[in-house]
Amino acid sequence: MWSWITELMAESATLRLFMVVGIGYVIGEIRFPGNFRLGLAAVLFAGMSFGALAPAYVLPHEVQTIGLVLFVYCVGLEAGPGFLSSFKSHGVRLNFSASVAILAAFFLVWVAIQFSGRSREVLAGLFCGALTNTPALGATTESILRSTGNANAANAAVVGYGVAYPFAVLATLLLFQFRVMFQKSPQPEGSSTVTLPRAQTVEVKELHGSLPWVVELLEEETGVIVTRVKRPEGQLLLATRNMALQSGDLVVVVGTPMQLQKCVDLLGVIASVQVESDMSGFEVHRYFVSNSEIVGRPLRELGLEKLGGVISRLRRADVDLPVTDKTVLQLGDRVRVVSYKENEVAIRKFFGNSLTTLSETGYFSFAVGITLGLALGAVPIPVPGIEKPITLGAAGGPLLMALMLGHLGRTGPFVWTPPLTASMTLKHVGILFFLACAGVKAGSVLPQTLKADGWFLVGLTVVVTLAAHLVLWMLLRWKPDAGLQTALGASSGMQTQPAALAFAAQRFPGSMVNLPYATVYPLAIILKIVLAQALLVI
């Protein structure tokens, strides 16, 4: 029986691939003390164990390349929309602090390369693992293979990553725990309760200024969404952007508690009659955005108001997003719309609301984008001081192209961002394939590396990880409004580590840890990809 299984495994690379993925996924679901798990990264450790036990059972390099391309391209699309905006206003200081922290980690690893006598490739992989960044590892291994063709050197980088990763996660979570225990936030940075949008009726009692409030100006001033207005004579109307509010109007607004209170302060008082529950003549439905014609354009250009509808809420993946006239819809978004009953069919057609269409949309543009990315990655780039021109390769080219296309959103008929659910699925499939293949190949050199340098690599990992976070926190102390929640959110983004973000979110439910995480994440991921490859040549 066993001989039949081993013979079957030897003949079928596909079987070996999915065995590694399946075993790794099960391991990744195990929760360790501190309530964290390895997640998809466990596939790498399953692959390394598999490769150490059976070095001959390598997986096809083409599968590894396809997985890497899918992963980095989807990561680029995800980071693209927020990449440039992360440099605005408060994001400048956060990104500067995170960049200096990552450069500090880079410097420590560079010093170790110069003076420890250890393999440059192993320590480049350790840099990726100490900062838990799989795209950087993919770019590093692909760069090694492209420049030297040395598969053993690429495997060494994977080993460095694999040794560093779990200790980096553990060191980060322990550091967060100590920070929470011994330092309280000097001032509240956000509500400690969940601040999901809700509806409320406000009665107009006092109008500030010489002119009455117009719906569009009120929304810009407070951040609320005005959905309906009940006139003093009893007429209930759908709100339009140029509608002037009058004394005695009952205004239905949607927003967070803070936004609602600001609206009340400007208009009057909370109404004794809750008009939001009066839906006579109106429909409220949630729709999936599957119509590619309305994707990638701001709401003010879509003409939804002319159809008799108002978007009151927007949910993307598991996150509720604010709605303004500048909001850009993406495929797969779920919108909550208030409309006149007679207009509901037209509203439904406007958004598409088709899961079938949604699942079949965007793949042509997705394929075109990857093709352009691979072509960009093959372009030789001359670098002063280096004899042979470099290329961005199968990791850098698609990533850079995805950042640009993700920022654009659409170009004419091309919608560059596929449905978010499809993008997340492709990203996960890509990283599973890449980690499985890379892990099996690296497993053959794992025992020797651990035996020779195991304790050194673990110690260096802890030093690099802790140093990066401590440098970041020191720099954030100069930012007056940066308290504990900002520090933990920015650290999680700098580390590009979902487990760290989950830890911070559990300690501060409904708080503002997500904002600094999202601000820092795009630049951090790009910077680590560049610096990891720089360690190979500097």
Side-chain angles (χ1 to χ4, degrees):
M1 180 66 177
W2 177 249
S3 61
W4 176 79
I5 294 176
T6 55
E7 186 176 324
L8 183 61
M9 290 174 56
E11 293 177 353
S12 176
T14 305
L15 174 62
R16 300 198 298 271
L17 171 65
F18 283 99
M19 280 186 62
V20 172
V21 169
I23 294 171
Y25 186 84
V26 171
I27 297 173
E29 290 299 302
I30 298 174
R31 293 198 175 273
F32 296 93
N35 198 32
F36 79 93
R37 57 190 180 87
L38 292 173
L40 299 181
V43 175
L44 176 70
F45 305 124
M48 293 173 69
S49 302
F50 192 89
L53 295 173
Y57 287 171
V58 294
L59 297 172
H61 180 69
E62 291 77 9
V63 175
Q64 179 177 332
T65 302
I66 291 172
L68 175 62
V69 170
L70 286 175
F71 178 63
V72 297
Y73 186 76
C74 291
V75 166
L77 290 179
E78 181 182 316
F83 184 63
L84 294 180
S85 62
S86 66
F87 295 99
K88 299 178 182 178
S89 61
H90 69 284
V92 174
R93 288 185 178 181
L94 285 176
N95 276 293
F96 172 77
S97 302
S99 299
V100 173
I102 293 171
L103 286 170
F106 169 84
F107 177 73
L108 287 175
V109 177
W110 179 82
V111 170
I113 290 174
Q114 302 303 314
F115 298 102
S116 70
R118 266 70 176 191
S119 163
R120 182 181 293 268
E121 291 78 13
V122 169
L123 295 186
L126 179 142
F127 172 79
C128 302
L131 297 180
T132 58
N133 194 264
T134 308
L137 173 66
T140 301
T141 57
E142 204 266 338
S143 178
I144 294 171
L145 291 173
R146 186 177 65 249
S147 59
T148 68
N150 189 340
N152 288 332
N155 293 341
V158 177
V159 169
Y161 176 92
V163 172
Y165 187 98
F167 292 99
V169 173
L170 181 61
T172 300
L173 296 181
L174 288 176
L175 186 63
F176 278 23
Q177 181 64 43
F178 283 125
R179 180 74 188 266
V180 170
M181 289 172 56
F182 296 111
Q183 180 179 341
K184 301 298 182 182
S185 184
Q187 60 181 10
E189 301 173 271
S191 172
S192 61
T193 58
V194 177
T195 56
L196 294 176
R198 60 184 178 87
Q200 188 172 71
T201 303
V202 180
E203 182 177 356
V204 180
K205 285 287 189 181
E206 179 182 353
L207 297 176
H208 297 262
S210 58
L211 295 175
W213 280 103
V214 175
V215 167
E216 182 176 7
L217 296 178
L218 180 67
E219 291 180 341
E220 290 179 358
E221 182 69 21
T222 62
V224 301
I225 297 295
V226 181
T227 60
R228 290 172 296 151
V229 177
K230 188 171 185 178
R231 296 300 191 186
E233 59 271 20
Q235 187 180 15
L236 187 57
L237 303 172
L238 195 72
T240 59
R241 304 199 66 77
N242 59 357
M243 178 183 288
L245 302 178
Q246 306 169 4
S247 181
D249 284 346
L250 299 180
V251 184
V252 180
V253 293
V254 177
T256 64
M258 185 179 298
Q259 293 169 337
L260 294 176
Q261 185 57 53
K262 189 173 183 180
C263 183
V264 171
D265 293 340
L266 291 177
L267 291 185
V269 297
I270 298 175
S272 57
V273 179
Q274 300 304 304
V275 179
E276 63 264 25
S277 61
D278 182 5
M279 297 306 300
S280 55
F282 292 90
E283 295 274 2
V284 179
H285 290 285
R286 290 190 181 271
Y287 303 104
F288 283 99
V289 178
S290 62
N291 179 9
S292 61
E293 294 298 320
I294 65 174
V295 171
R297 299 188 178 98
L299 287 181
R300 63 174 176 267
E301 298 180 4
L302 299 184
L304 178 61
E305 186 176 287
K306 297 179 181 178
L307 291 177
V310 175
I311 297 178
S312 63
R313 304 181 195 185
L314 167 64
R315 190 167 180 83
R316 183 170 297 158
D318 295 328
V319 180
D320 288 283
L321 300 178
V323 180
T324 69
D325 61 350
K326 298 178 182 178
T327 298
V328 175
L329 296 179
Q330 294 184 10
L331 289 170
D333 284 349
R334 287 168 290 169
V335 292
R336 189 176 189 266
V337 180
V338 181
S339 66
Y340 292 114
K341 281 187 176 181
E342 60 269 22
N343 295 25
E344 197 278 326
V345 175
I347 297 291
R348 184 181 299 272
K349 183 178 179 181
F350 177 82
F351 288 105
N353 199 42
S354 171
L355 288 176
T356 301
T357 302
L358 185 62
S359 65
E360 298 172 352
T361 301
Y363 293 107
F364 177 71
S365 299
F366 188 83
V368 169
I370 288 182
T371 301
L372 293 174
L374 291 172
L376 178 63
V379 174
I381 304 172
V383 178
I386 299 179
E387 181 179 349
K388 185 178 179 182
I390 67 170
T391 60
L392 296 174
L399 178 65
L400 182 59
M401 182 60 63
L403 283 170
M404 294 187 291
L405 297 181
H407 176 70
L408 291 174
R410 73 178 298 151
T411 306
F414 292 97
V415 178
W416 299 115
T417 52
L420 186 60
T421 52
S423 178
M424 293 176 65
T425 300
L426 290 170
K427 181 176 72 172
H428 287 161
V429 168
I431 191 60
L432 288 172
F433 283 7
F434 169 77
L435 291 176
C437 294
V440 171
K441 291 179 181 178
S444 60
V445 297
L446 176 64
Q448 306 93 292
T449 304
L450 288 178
K451 184 177 180 180
D453 299 318
W455 287 112
F456 172 81
L457 297 179
V458 171
L460 181 60
T461 296
V462 174
V463 169
V464 170
T465 302
L466 296 183
H469 289 284
L470 293 176
V471 168
L472 174 62
W473 291 350
M474 288 174 57
L475 293 173
L476 288 180
R477 289 180 65 88
W478 296 342
K479 191 174 184 291
D481 58 341
L484 180 57
Q485 297 175 39
T486 296
L488 295 184
S491 267
S492 303
M494 182 271 297
Q495 188 76 25
T496 56
Q497 178 50 247
L501 179 64
F503 176 93
Q506 287 174 356
R507 270 47 179 188
F508 299 99
S511 70
M512 295 299 292
V513 295
N514 289 326
L515 180 59
Y517 176 87
T519 300
V520 168
Y521 182 92
L523 180 61
I525 202 169
I526 301 302
L527 188 59
K528 285 187 268 189
I529 288 172
V530 173
L531 293 179
Q533 294 179 83
L535 287 171
L536 299 173
V537 295
I538 295 179

